[in-house]
């Protein structure tokens, strides 16, 4: 399934909290602690399993006033990095679709 | 085997563990070791049965290897194993079991237990130096090598009273935060440890420098630094969430700062100036 139609959400082994707009993360599997920058934190905040990558990219394009194509490319790249770091996981359907 | 007649009640930051020991000699050793932290019999937060087994060995000792403690939690039960100690605890049920060799130690088991017990009781066990000055508590945190032991030693030279140079508990009493000493020694067998409590006045991340200064520390970095200083609780996402919540509350109630310090006690003059300007 194309990434734009997938739904990122926090990895079950990751604890995260927004502090003054920045996401502080504890990765249980590696016992690492990370702090994301402002844009990364906003993406992490939006990646709650209810929004598709396309929806997140559209929201970021509006919030940061960047071209949609650039926002899409950057969003896919950043989400993929967070998934590779096991901070996020991909869902095929939004959270609200699950009973 | 002689059996100790009554449990030892160990109170650390007012959180009580009752330890029943089936070996009188080990019970006497623990009673001496934790003498400053023993309290009168009461309803404990956790009751631990300690069984002494001659010849017990749970992880093979390897020369030159770093000290190993394995911890895993499943279904609310935390399993613990080290070289001469093995056990578990269930904080929801308030019970635990520890088996150890006659010369084994309960300390690492208690560290893990208290790290997790604290999060259930609005408290934080932190790798940090704690110092009392003018009846108030000061917390200094940072990674290994940041200068916690140095700050504790220099604080004593400045007339302050270190309660610990590397591990303390911060707990909440109403709206007040308290800095609490702990008995844990770890590898620093001659380290300063005091059973003392005081209202927490300020928290500082440590940064060695050539001159003294205090600067604001952004809260996200402070929360990350405090969370990194909390041992034995990073392996469980639920505990991680509780840890971040507790660190965020701490860094909200007491504005975090970075202390840049050189190796002399005059950094207290800078701290005193900062504190004097606080409401």
């Amino acid at each position: 399934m194309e990434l734009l139609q997938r739904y990122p959400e926090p990895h079950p082994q990751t604890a995260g909290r927004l502090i003054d707009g920045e996401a502080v993360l504890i990765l249980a599997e590696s016992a690492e602690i990370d702090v994301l920058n402002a844009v990364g934190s906003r993406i992490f905040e939006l990646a709650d399993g209810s929004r598709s990558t396309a929806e997140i990219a559209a929201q970021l394009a509006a919030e940061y006033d960047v071209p949609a194509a650039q926002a899409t490319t950057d969003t896919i790249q950043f989400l993929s990095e967070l998934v590779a770091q096991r901070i996020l996981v991909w869902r095929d359907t939004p959270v609200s679709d699950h009973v | 085997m002689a059996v100790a007649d009554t449990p030892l009640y160990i109170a650390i930051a007012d959180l009580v563990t009752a330890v029943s020991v089936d070996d009188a000699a080990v019970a006497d050793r623990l009673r001496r070791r934790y003498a400053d932290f023993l309290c009168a019999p009461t309803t404990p937060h956790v009751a631990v049965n300690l069984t002494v087994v001659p010849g017990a060995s749970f992880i093979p000792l390897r020369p030159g290897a770093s000290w190993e403690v394995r911890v895993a939690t499943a279904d609310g039960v935390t399993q613990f194993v080290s070289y001469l100690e093995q056990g578990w605890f269930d904080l929801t049920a308030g019970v635990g079991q520890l088996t150890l060799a006659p010369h084994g130690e309960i300390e690492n088991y208690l560290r893990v237990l208290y790290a997790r017990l604290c999060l259930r009781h609005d408290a934080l066990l932190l790798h940090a130096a704690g110092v009392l000055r003018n009846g108030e508590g000061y917390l200094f945190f940072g990674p290994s090598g940041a200068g916690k032991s140095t700050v504790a030693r220099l604080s004593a030279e400045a007339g302050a009273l270190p309660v610990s140079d590397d591990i303390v508990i911060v707990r909440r009493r109403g709206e007040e935060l308290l800095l609490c000493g702990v008995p844990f020694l770890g590898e620093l067998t001659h380290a300063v440890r005091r059973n003392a409590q005081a209202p927490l006045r300020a928290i500082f991340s440590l940064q060695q420098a050539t001159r003294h200064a205090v600067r604001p520390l952004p809260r996200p970095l402070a929360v990350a630094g405090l969370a990194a200083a909390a041992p034995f609780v990073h392996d469980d996402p639920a505990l991680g969430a509780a840890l971040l919540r507790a660190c965020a509350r701490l860094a909200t109630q007491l504005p975090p700062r970075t202390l840049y310090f050189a190796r002399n006690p005059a950094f207290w003059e800078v701290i005193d100036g900062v504190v004097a300007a606080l409401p």
Side-chain angles (χ1 to χ4, degrees):
Chain A
M1 181 180 285
E2 190 182 352
L3 292 182
L4 282 173
Q5 273 70 58
R6 299 187 81 182
Y7 298 80
E9 69 173 2
H11 191 286
Q13 291 295 308
T14 294
R17 187 178 184 88
L18 280 175
I19 311 287
D20 298 340
E22 294 187 27
V24 183
L25 309 173
I26 299 177
L27 285 59
E29 288 183 330
S30 59
E32 291 178 18
I33 295 176
D34 289 334
V35 181
L36 301 181
N37 64 23
V39 178
S41 297
R42 181 60 178 144
I43 293 175
F44 179 81
E45 183 181 16
L46 292 170
D48 62 359
S50 73
R51 300 174 180 86
S52 68
T53 301
E55 291 169 327
I56 293 172
Q59 185 145 351
L60 292 172
E63 290 182 10
Y64 292 92
D65 194 22
V66 295
Q70 181 188 335
T72 299
T73 301
D74 292 349
T75 301
I76 289 175
Q77 180 181 346
F78 190 74
L79 288 173
S80 297
E81 288 176 8
L82 293 188
V83 170
Q85 293 175 48
R86 300 175 70 79
I87 293 171
L88 298 176
V89 292
W90 294 114
R91 299 176 61 94
D92 291 335
T93 55
V95 171
S96 55
D97 280 1
H98 282 249
V99 180
Chain B
M1 182 178 294
V3 176
D5 49 359
T6 57
L8 282 73
Y9 290 84
I10 301 171
I12 303 172
D14 298 326
L15 299 172
V16 178
T17 299
V19 183
S20 300
V21 189
D22 71 351
D23 184 295
V26 171
D28 285 344
R29 176 159 59 87
L30 293 178
R31 192 169 281 112
R32 289 194 299 274
R33 167 69 183 81
Y34 295 99
D36 291 344
F37 290 81
L38 296 180
C39 68
T42 183
T43 302
H45 295 85
V46 188
V48 176
N49 278 314
L50 194 158
T51 303
V52 180
V53 177
S57 175
F58 303 102
I59 299 176
L61 282 164
R62 289 175 296 139
S66 59
W67 200 256
E68 189 167 347
V69 172
R70 299 175 188 166
V71 179
T73 300
D75 300 325
V77 177
T78 298
Q79 302 287 340
F80 169 93
V81 62
S82 190
Y83 297 97
L84 303 175
E85 307 88 11
Q86 178 174 271
W88 56 269
F89 56 80
D90 179 340
L91 296 181
T92 301
V95 295
Q97 167 70 43
L98 182 65
T99 301
L100 78 169
H103 53 297
E105 295 289 347
I106 192 174
E107 173 135 339
N108 282 325
Y109 175 86
L110 287 180
R111 280 180 177 232
V112 176
L113 187 154
Y114 270 87
R116 293 166 181 243
L117 184 63
C118 278
L119 285 180
R120 287 178 167 242
H121 292 275
D122 229 350
L124 275 170
L125 178 79
L126 294 170
H127 270 306
V131 173
L132 304 188
R133 183 169 170 87
N134 300 326
E136 295 182 309
Y138 293 81
L139 180 84
F140 303 92
F141 64 96
S144 180
K148 296 185 286 293
S149 295
T150 302
V151 160
R153 178 175 52 79
L154 294 173
S155 295
E157 292 179 20
L161 183 70
V163 295
S164 172
D165 63 358
D166 84 329
I167 188 163
V168 297
I169 288 175
V170 174
R171 74 172 183 88
R172 192 170 292 277
R173 184 177 61 191
E175 289 304 305
E176 187 177 47
L177 291 167
L178 294 177
L179 176 72
C180 306
V182 301
F184 306 131
L185 291 172
E187 297 175 2
L188 303 171
T189 53
H190 301 293
V192 171
R193 298 292 183 270
R194 286 189 175 86
N195 187 6
Q197 299 185 2
L200 185 58
R201 182 62 164 155
I203 61 175
F204 298 94
S205 172
L206 288 176
Q207 187 76 49
Q208 296 186 43
T210 55
R211 55 189 288 270
H212 307 303
V214 170
R215 301 274 183 266
L217 175 64
R219 279 204 323 146
L221 296 181
V223 170
L226 288 165
F232 304 123
V233 291
H234 295 158
D235 63 304
D236 181 331
L239 287 176
L243 174 62
L244 289 175
R245 186 166 54 247
C247 293
R249 286 188 71 185
L250 173 56
T252 298
Q253 188 159 346
L254 293 174
R257 298 176 174 82
T258 298
L259 170 66
Y260 298 87
F261 73 101
R263 288 175 174 263
N264 67 69
F267 65 82
W268 273 106
E269 296 172 12
V270 182
I271 293 176
D272 289 343
V274 169
V275 169
L278 295 176

